[in-house]
Amino acid sequence: MSAKSKSEPTRRDFLYIATGTMGAVGAAAVMWPPIRLMSPDASTLALSSIEVDVSSIEPGQAITVKWRGKPVFIRNRTDKEVEEAGAVAIDELKDKEARNQNLGAGPATAVNRSAGEGKENWIVMIGNCTHLGCIPVGLSGDFGGWFCPCHGSHYDTAGRIRKGPAPENLLIPPFEFISDETLKIG
Amino acid sequence: MSGGHSEYNPSNGFTKWLDARLPLPRFVYDSFIAYPVPRNLNGWYTFGAILAIMLIVQIITGVVLAMHYVASTAGAFNSVEFIMRDVNYGWLMRRLHANGASMFFFAVYIHIFRGMYYGSYKNPREVLWILGVLIFLLMMATAFMGYVLPWGQMSFWGATVITGFFSAIPLVGTTIQEWLLGGFAVGNPTLNRFFSLHYLLPFMIVGVVALHVWALHVTGQTNPTGVEVKNMKKETVPFTPYATIKDFLGLSLFFIVFAWFVFYLPDYMGHPDNYIRANSLKTPAHIVPEWYFLPFYAILRAITFNISIPFTDIVLINSKLGGVLAMVGSIAILFVLPWLDTSKVRSASYRPLYKQFFWVFVVVSVLLGWLGSKPADGGYVIAAQILTAYYFAHFLIILPWLGWYEKPKQVPPSIADAVLKKKSTAAQPAE
């Protein structure tokens, strides 16, 4: 064998390698269906969007709705809260990205985190802490926003991470106001 | 030590016939009857046998519980209460299974610390040790998934937090997390697959335990002196009756404690929040894992800071990934322990400095567990950060340094010398 391997590759060597490769590809192909079976199924994926009536939420109030099995915070902020959130310097933030796909990329200003110009009192966010997914408690914490009791993350009134182990600002789902009263999430 | 030499003599026609076809009785005889064990093993060495029995207890109680359990978000919580109230001896089987998990971990921690104290992981027993760490990891996965099955608040939020670890992986984290959950959040598909895997993993543990025992029987057991057996006749005794009886004594004492919890404090190790049905819109004020995960949980929460390139805003490892890496690292580091401990002397009995550092390490581990049960703020976080640093320093700095710095005591030339010397000093106390 050792004498042979030093010489030119033979037709037999080629056949061994080709057979081995086909075997590996075949084994991988056979494994794919059971692996893929564990991914979210069609019925889970079908729960893509919901509509919420927000007309009864007064300034300073907030509700939580369920979207894709996750809580979504909808908060109508008071003018004072919006002003305070706007006064925070971007440099002080742990996560400086707005992470608001509805308005495009930008710094995490109070407006960029909200529903946009004219509706900056509305803030809509996925209610799972960006650390390990617990639900932060509203209207609490050192910054008047949300506080996650699991591992001690504090978010401000714009849902920006200010203190604690969470790496990012609270995520913002895709949403739009269909009318002044109805919000569509997803 | 088993050495390939077999002392099995088939006594009758049938056993002779079977021995020539499938020498199973020979294997059992050589492994569990004639197998020579060092004569100076102390009580700490009975925990291997205790663990084997606990694994069997968990499998038997688990199999019968699975006959009544319903793995669905609609039925799981009620089916557990149904088992407690209506199923014959369901209360007993569930109490044994839930408290059995705690006792299993209690025993495995003593087993691991015993291995650390007597240097059991050293050449030539590295593979034996690595298989043990692998069993520990499988146990953790099994216990975690088992705790999700009753579908209480702690089940749900524990599952959310633990699967959240995977979302810390850069780029593909969220995809992996959703693949594991079978959805965007913990739900029915998650509960079903956890039940399936919770049933599978114990049998994988049985497989690795078989390898662990095989590796043990290749090298033979260590003993409190850390000196290898030199004279088989003088220094070993047959497994049966000597080790068997000793293991039964250890097991009996262990089962008294086990029974105390099962019959008098059945919910002591659990958490009251798990008697509230899972609610995906409300997190309990204070999430804690089962007590046996607390030290690792404290390490996870200790990393509250991003690791950046100095003087820039470029974050290399954010606090979330950092916490997960530290927690995974705290277990993974055990795999390389045989190479981090550079001392040639095995037993802490002959290592005066290591003996002290060992006990400091035990105290640090217990304190980390205590911190894991406390809320994550203020002084608790700072204390956890200091102890986490010490935990890693023990393995990465203290152990390599000790092997070089420490001057060990005189190691006895053989087990027989050590044992006989002890006897003669005991016989003449006047000095």
Side-chain angles (χ1 to χ4, degrees):
Chain A
M1 190 65 197
S2 57
K4 225 176 181 181
S5 63
K6 278 175 196 158
S7 62
E8 284 288 298
T10 65
R11 210 167 74 103
R12 187 60 43 190
D13 292 332
F14 172 77
L15 286 173
Y16 280 141
I17 293 166
T19 311
T21 309
M22 268 320 285
V25 170
V30 168
M31 282 312 291
W32 180 243
I35 290 170
R36 191 76 178 98
L37 180 136
M38 286 174 67
S39 300
D41 58 58
S43 73
T44 306
L45 294 173
L47 298 168
S48 56
S49 72
I50 56 166
E51 289 180 15
V52 187
D53 179 6
V54 295
S55 58
S56 60
I57 309 173
E58 299 293 327
Q61 292 185 332
I63 62 164
T64 304
V65 295
K66 199 167 170 178
W67 174 67
R68 286 179 160 184
K70 291 178 177 178
V72 172
F73 298 148
I74 304 170
R75 180 155 160 181
N76 188 353
R77 295 181 292 177
T78 61
D79 292 343
K80 187 166 167 273
E81 285 171 340
V82 175
E83 211 171 285
E84 277 173 6
V88 178
I90 299 294
D91 278 349
E92 283 178 32
L93 300 173
K94 183 174 178 183
D95 180 14
K96 298 175 178 58
E97 298 290 319
R99 301 191 190 277
N100 186 350
Q101 52 196 307
N102 306 301
L103 298 179
T109 60
V111 175
N112 281 348
R113 293 279 302 162
S114 71
E117 295 279 356
K119 284 199 179 292
E120 54 270 88
N121 55 321
W122 289 102
I123 185 155
V124 180
M125 301 180 300
I126 293 178
N128 289 111
C129 182
T130 56
H131 183 224
L132 293 169
C134 297
I135 300 178
V137 181
L139 297 167
S140 63
D142 293 356
F143 302 90
W146 287 265
F147 170 68
C148 182
C150 293
H151 310 98
S153 292
H154 297 257
Y155 297 89
D156 64 15
T157 52
R160 297 174 295 198
I161 176 66
R162 300 293 290 276
K163 191 175 145 192
E168 294 176 3
N169 301 327
L170 286 176
L171 299 179
I172 294 175
F175 71 89
E176 60 176 325
F177 277 92
I178 305 174
S179 67
D180 277 351
E181 280 116 47
T182 312
L183 177 70
K184 179 170 169 259
I185 302 172
Chain B
M1 209 150 87
S2 56
H5 169 70
S6 176
E7 288 168 21
Y8 176 67
N9 278 318
S11 52
N12 61 43
F14 173 71
T15 47
K16 273 179 194 148
W17 178 86
L18 187 62
D19 193 48
R21 285 157 181 82
L22 179 74
L24 185 63
R26 176 182 295 278
F27 176 76
V28 171
Y29 184 88
D30 290 343
S31 304
F32 302 106
I33 294 172
Y35 175 70
V37 293
R39 64 189 311 153
N40 58 337
L41 295 187
N42 58 30
W44 301 111
Y45 284 80
T46 62
F47 278 87
I50 289 171
L51 284 163
I53 300 295
M54 284 312 294
L55 179 59
I56 294 168
V57 168
Q58 289 302 91
I59 288 178
I60 291 174
T61 52
V63 166
V64 293
L65 284 170
M67 293 174 187
H68 291 281
Y69 172 75
V70 179
S72 80
T73 51
F77 188 84
N78 287 345
S79 77
V80 172
E81 283 312 302
F82 167 73
I83 287 169
M84 292 300 288
R85 290 152 201 256
D86 291 357
V87 176
N88 298 316
Y89 289 109
W91 60 273
L92 180 63
M93 291 300 117
R94 174 158 177 264
R95 294 306 194 200
L96 285 171
H97 198 70
N99 287 286
S102 276
M103 298 306 289
F104 204 157
F105 274 93
F106 175 64
V108 91
Y109 283 130
I110 291 182
H111 195 61
I112 291 170
F113 280 128
R114 191 272 291 149
M116 288 179 171
Y117 187 86
Y118 291 118
S120 304
Y121 46 79
K122 289 185 189 181
N123 178 15
R125 295 180 183 82
E126 300 94 330
V127 172
L128 174 61
W129 173 263
I130 288 169
L131 288 167
V133 180
L134 207 56
I135 294 168
F136 179 49
L137 272 178
L138 285 169
M139 278 174 65
M140 293 177 96
T142 311
F144 155 64
M145 286 191 276
Y147 197 56
V148 176
L149 302 184
W151 205 242
Q153 274 287 69
M154 281 296 165
S155 302
F156 183 90
W157 291 102
T160 299
V161 168
I162 306 256
T163 54
F165 296 165
F166 292 92
S167 70
I169 301 168
L171 302 177
V172 293
T174 308
T175 312
I176 291 177
Q177 187 192 12
E178 284 172 4
W179 175 71
L180 287 170
L181 294 175
F184 302 105
V186 175
N188 206 44
T190 320
L191 180 59
N192 263 296
R193 66 191 54 187
F194 278 15
F195 181 52
S196 169
L197 294 173
H198 183 70
Y199 209 119
L200 167 72
L201 288 187
F203 297 98
M204 293 178 70
I205 294 178
V206 170
V208 185
V209 166
L211 296 178
H212 190 65
V213 174
W214 185 7
L216 175 74
H217 285 208
V218 169
T219 58
Q221 274 170 295
T222 54
N223 62 82
T225 66
V227 181
E228 294 286 350
V229 170
K230 283 170 186 147
N231 184 333
M232 288 281 261
K233 245 198 157 124
K234 235 168 128 183
E235 295 171 352
T236 67
V237 288
F239 190 87
T240 303
Y242 295 95
T244 338
I245 292 298
K246 193 161 187 153
D247 287 344
F248 264 109
L249 175 65
L251 192 65
S252 305
L253 296 173
F254 188 80
F255 270 18
I256 290 173
V257 182
F258 186 14
W260 175 261
F261 277 106
V262 168
F263 295 111
Y264 295 97
L265 296 166
D267 281 318
Y268 186 73
M269 316 270 206
H271 198 288
D273 271 318
N274 225 28
Y275 282 103
I276 302 168
R277 188 199 290 262
N279 178 353
S280 64
L281 292 181
K282 192 174 185 309
T283 306
H286 186 47
I287 295 191
V288 280
E290 292 278 77
W291 68 267
Y292 38 81
F293 292 141
L294 288 175
F296 305 106
Y297 194 59
I299 291 173
L300 168 83
R301 298 193 305 182
I303 313 296
T304 53
F305 44 86
N306 290 341
I307 297 165
S308 316
I309 298 173
F311 311 112
T312 66
D313 281 339
I314 303 163
V315 176
L316 290 178
I317 298 172
N318 69 35
S319 48
K320 177 175 168 181
L321 181 61
V324 173
L325 286 178
M327 191 192 63
V328 172
S330 67
I331 302 164
I333 204 163
L334 295 173
F335 280 111
V336 289
L337 174 59
W339 294 275
L340 292 173
D341 185 350
T342 51
S343 175
K344 292 275 180 288
V345 178
R346 277 202 194 94
S347 172
S349 306
Y350 305 102
R351 298 185 62 191
L353 281 178
Y354 173 72
K355 191 191 255 180
Q356 293 171 28
F357 279 110
F358 168 82
W359 287 111
V360 172
F361 178 72
V362 172
V363 171
V364 165
S365 303
V366 173
L367 281 179
L368 274 171
W370 175 72
L371 286 170
S373 73
K374 292 287 157 193
D377 49 34
Y380 294 128
V381 173
I382 296 164
Q385 286 169 343
I386 294 167
L387 293 180
T388 299
Y390 184 87
Y391 180 97
F392 285 100
H394 175 83
F395 291 105
L396 296 173
I397 299 169
I398 293 170
L399 286 184
W401 167 73
L402 270 185
W404 166 80
Y405 177 80
E406 181 182 51
K407 192 172 182 301
K409 287 189 203 165
Q410 182 68 43
V411 175
S414 72
I415 295 173
D417 284 303
V419 174
L420 292 175
K421 195 183 151 211
K422 216 185 232 170
K423 274 201 178 132
S424 63
T425 46
Q428 333 162 311
E431 184 82 25

